[in-house]
Amino acid sequence: MVYKDKTRNRFRLKFKLHDKWVVLASGTEERDLADAYDATIAQCLRHGLTELVELVRSGGLPLSLLHQELTAGGVNEVRNRIRDRLEQRDLRPLVAAWVEAMTRRGKPSPLVRRQYAVTVNRVLGGTTRPVYPRDLTAPTVNRRILAGPNARKSYAAFRLWWRFLYREGVVPNADLLLLLEAPPVPKARDRFLSEPRIKELLAVVKPKYRDAISLCYSAGLEVSTLLRVRMEDIDVQNRLLIARGTKTDYRTRWVRVADWGWEAVERMMATAPKRGGFLAPRVQRFAIGDAHRRAAEQIGEKGLRLHDARRAFTVRLLRAGVPVMAVASALAHGSGAMVQSVYGRWKPNAEEMNRWEAQASGQDK
């Protein structure tokens, strides 16, 4: 029987359990849904599933969940499905526990930890409802990973989180990881500007961001790394600066600033706080990217990103004869394999090779 509680404007269910009338709140204001819940209770009682009805009455099992499982699995499977649900833990709060465990270790960086949490929560689904291990089948996880903006990072973050659950004993095994499909490797971007075009772009950049963008091009810095450069990180005599890694500690490295970009560094140093301050305290992360994009469009380079400055820096070093491993170190790559595979075709011309030979033989003195 379904009737409306006028004081709360919600429907209640009334039924007989062990020959006694029982009243149960449906939790809904919709008559159709209340009728469906009433039919679920009636079906459970008709097939002898009184233990599940008692569990709902005591608050140990949501009525909505019982209705969902009975609809999905039928009477024959509902006992096992409900038992599995009750024995398993809600995985959603364990994302925060995982981030806390990484924080205690100090790895990876806070920025990456936040990105991991956002990524895994997106794979779990955009709602706040509980998520159990049985909900995360390989097809479901693969589909959600591929639907995201950066599938490979989502794939890596989810794998790390699932291993954490296995180590903590939350899931009995890590077999799900064997069924996941690694997203395809995207084609590497090779869009970049030559040095004359860089100077042409800098000429039309908004003055507020010109020096910072010049430093990105002349030192191969990512924006996040640029924003972490402090005054004490700069070696003025040798025109070096420390580029601090934002993902892991090993990405911190010394970088040589190109001679044509050093004037920008000097101007930034003149206006930055003298001690303990950042080199670019007034630069906003997204505003500088917008300024670069608008300037690129003005010179006919629509679609060029500020991150492409690293590619211009890389090609410039390779054509100057810098060893691949030294280039990889300047870019904070763990090995020279990616530099070789992506940029190996940018070979020096005859004039550049002649200059190397003159340097090697001492004839350029």
Side-chain angles (χ1 to χ4, degrees):
M1 179 189 304
V2 178
Y3 68 94
K4 199 167 192 177
D5 184 347
K6 296 182 180 179
T7 60
R8 295 189 178 184
N9 201 33
R10 293 183 179 226
F11 288 98
R12 289 179 175 268
L13 312 180
K14 188 176 181 180
F15 53 89
K16 269 193 174 183
L17 180 63
H18 303 308
D19 295 327
K20 293 183 179 180
W21 285 103
V22 174
V23 175
L24 181 67
S26 69
T28 181
E29 299 177 3
E30 300 179 14
R31 179 63 190 240
D32 291 344
L33 185 56
D35 288 338
Y37 287 164
D38 185 55
T40 294
I41 295 293
Q43 190 175 7
C44 287
L45 295 176
R46 189 165 57 251
H47 290 87
L49 301 178
T50 54
E51 73 275 15
L52 297 183
V53 178
E54 290 172 347
L55 197 56
V56 171
R57 183 188 176 193
S58 65
L61 175 66
L63 177 57
S64 58
L65 179 58
L66 176 62
H67 173 69
Q68 173 186 332
E69 294 296 347
L70 190 64
T71 303
V75 174
N76 294 331
E77 296 184 18
V78 71
R79 279 195 181 95
N80 293 331
R81 292 171 68 92
I82 292 294
R83 186 181 301 114
D84 289 346
R85 290 274 188 172
L86 296 177
E87 290 176 354
Q88 293 181 0
R89 295 174 61 183
D90 180 10
L91 299 183
R92 198 176 290 278
L94 296 177
V95 178
W98 174 51
V99 173
E100 184 180 349
M102 291 189 291
T103 303
R104 289 196 298 269
R105 293 201 317 268
K107 296 179 180 180
S109 69
L111 175 62
V112 175
R113 293 197 295 266
R114 288 195 298 271
Q115 291 174 340
Y116 279 175
V118 170
T119 295
V120 173
N121 278 318
R122 183 181 53 75
V123 175
L124 293 181
T127 65
T128 58
R129 67 175 181 80
V131 177
Y132 300 94
R134 64 173 296 147
D135 295 326
L136 298 179
T137 62
T140 299
V141 175
N142 284 327
R143 183 177 67 255
R144 291 177 179 176
I145 286 176
L146 292 175
N150 196 321
R152 290 189 64 81
K153 288 185 179 179
S154 299
Y155 173 76
F158 184 86
R159 289 179 64 87
L160 290 172
W161 179 65
W162 197 261
R163 290 195 188 102
F164 166 79
L165 297 181
Y166 175 59
R167 290 195 302 269
E168 295 295 314
V170 177
V171 295
N173 55 62
D175 292 349
L176 175 63
L177 300 183
L178 301 177
L179 302 176
L180 298 184
E181 300 176 5
V185 179
K187 183 180 178 181
R189 282 175 62 92
D190 57 3
R191 182 112 180 248
F192 65 92
L193 299 181
S194 61
E195 194 167 314
R197 290 287 281 170
I198 293 173
K199 294 178 179 178
E200 185 179 345
L201 179 140
L202 293 174
V204 299
V205 168
K206 191 175 180 180
K208 179 180 178 180
Y209 301 106
R210 183 174 299 154
D211 290 338
I213 291 176
S214 176
L215 183 54
C216 288
Y217 274 97
S218 59
L221 301 183
E222 314 96 315
V223 175
S224 55
T225 302
L226 166 69
L227 299 181
R228 297 185 67 185
V229 176
R230 293 180 175 273
M231 293 293 289
E232 60 263 29
D233 295 338
I234 302 173
D235 180 350
V236 177
Q237 182 177 356
N238 296 304
R239 298 188 173 182
L240 298 171
L241 58 81
I242 298 178
R244 300 191 180 276
T246 56
K247 295 183 179 179
T248 55
D249 294 337
Y250 80 83
R251 292 180 69 104
T252 299
R253 73 276 187 191
W254 281 97
V255 179
R256 171 63 156 82
V257 181
D259 291 340
W260 55 265
W262 186 251
E263 291 183 2
V265 177
E266 291 179 333
R267 286 191 294 268
M268 294 172 72
M269 292 175 63
T271 58
K274 298 302 179 185
R275 296 185 61 182
F278 292 99
L279 180 63
R282 300 178 186 85
V283 173
Q284 297 178 350
R285 180 184 183 91
F286 298 105
I288 187 175
D290 292 339
H292 178 271
R293 175 179 50 78
R294 286 191 290 268
E297 291 174 353
Q298 288 184 47
I299 66 170
E301 294 287 348
K302 187 174 182 180
L304 188 74
R305 305 183 209 158
L306 184 53
H307 196 74
D308 293 328
R310 283 170 59 82
R311 298 176 179 87
F313 176 78
T314 303
V315 173
R316 181 176 178 274
L317 292 186
L318 290 174
R319 300 197 70 172
V322 179
V324 170
M325 283 306 300
V327 176
S329 177
L331 297 173
H333 292 326
S335 71
M338 190 167 78
V339 175
Q340 185 65 41
S341 63
V342 176
Y343 302 99
R345 63 186 179 280
W346 300 106
K347 300 177 181 179
N349 55 34
E351 179 184 350
E352 290 164 337
M353 287 190 287
N354 290 335
R355 186 166 64 248
W356 296 357
E357 176 60 27
Q359 292 173 351
S361 61
Q363 297 177 7
D364 62 335
K365 297 181 180 178

